[in-house]
Amino acid sequence: MQEIERKFLVTSLAGISEAYAEAKIAQGYLNRNPERTVRVRIKNDKGYLTIKGKSDATGTTRFEWEKEIQLHEAEALLLLCEKGVIEKTRYAIQKGTHVFELDVFEGANKGLVVAEIELTTADENFEKPSWLGEEVTHDERYYNAYLSEKPFTEW
Amino acid sequence: MQEIERKFLVTSLAGISEAYAEAKIAQGYLNRNPERTVRVRIKNDKGYLTIKGKSDATGTTRFEWEKEIQLHEAEALLLLCEKGVIEKTRYAIQKGTHVFELDVFEGANKGLVVAEIELTTADENFEKPSWLGEEVTHDERYYNAYLSEKPFTEW
């Protein structure tokens, strides 16, 4: 139920040529508060409801609960969400024993590309590809809930 | 997915002697906003996650989505909720072809007793027992989400 994730800006789209999976994602928020984020997501043809708690003191570990829900339920719940649905394409890229999830944002967040890596411990080592830029794990502006309210093109 | 409910104050606890079921309920809110209420409930030993949309123009019909979740998940999610967990005992009372749900609040809402009836249409007729008081369907102060923030004993 705890996830450790680190997030980085991406300086080029070169990594996409190595991606082994790709998914279209649309997501909205029933609550954007980082202490109790409630997210509705459609990923390709599946729906998900995800609830996240606030980060711990290190900013890398967050309580997370997720359930798959029916597509038509996700579509109905998306209509209840705050204005500002996030649209992005997610690419999975294997690097050594780790997987980077590279999110290429569209719509109001077009131009933003970030990569996330899930780790077992906060200080775990991992291979850093050449396209990996500045770490933004601790920068709340890059939370998707924040991007839904204050999109990248309006910064 | 649409519910039509009418809510009334209760002037005496006489109806409880006829109740055919009783449940202890504890519930908190991941969002109290009536446009997108997100509720975590423990009812006896079962957990539920419920999402409600805003009322329609008549104030009686609200979008509602509910899923049963595991008790330990509900307990964990309750910890993320806004302060102000609601505690109440719910009694089911049959009157003719309808069922009243009578909620006797405890804790910070002690002294408040309300009855709800679920209907098929907003103007459907139903038997009105002697303990049924003023209708409060349209009064948002009696929304449980509101009671969680502004409990009855503080009115």
Side-chain angles (χ1 to χ4, degrees), chain A residues 1 29-31 35-36 38 49 51-54 63 65 67 69 72-73 76-77 80-82, chain B residues 1 29-31 35-36 38 49 51-54 63 65 67-69 72-73 76-77 80-82:
Chain A
M1 299 253 273
Y29 292 87
L30 291 165
N31 195 342
E35 297 205 8
R36 53 189 73 84
V38 183
L49 185 67
I51 298 171
K52 297 190 189 195
K54 68 176 168 189
F63 172 89
W65 176 93
K67 272 277 183 291
I69 61 176
H72 73 88
E73 295 177 307
L77 291 174
L80 291 191
C81 286
E82 304 266 5
Chain B
M1 300 253 277
Y29 291 87
L30 291 165
N31 195 342
E35 298 206 6
R36 53 189 73 84
V38 182
L49 186 67
I51 298 171
K52 297 191 189 194
K54 67 176 169 190
F63 171 88
W65 175 92
K67 271 278 183 291
E68 188 176 335
I69 60 176
H72 73 90
E73 295 177 306
L77 291 174
L80 291 190
C81 285
E82 305 266 5

Side-chain angles (χ1 to χ4, degrees), chain B residues 22-28 39-44 48 85-91 101-104 106 144:
Chain B
E22 176 181 342
K24 285 276 177 197
I25 292 174
Q27 64 193 40
R39 183 184 75 198
V40 179
R41 174 181 275 180
I42 295 174
K43 187 175 176 184
N44 293 334
Y48 301 89
V85 168
I86 296 263
E87 296 163 273
K88 59 188 181 183
T89 304
R90 172 166 286 180
Y91 300 90
E101 289 187 326
L102 198 145
D103 282 349
V104 180
E106 291 141 40
N144 280 249

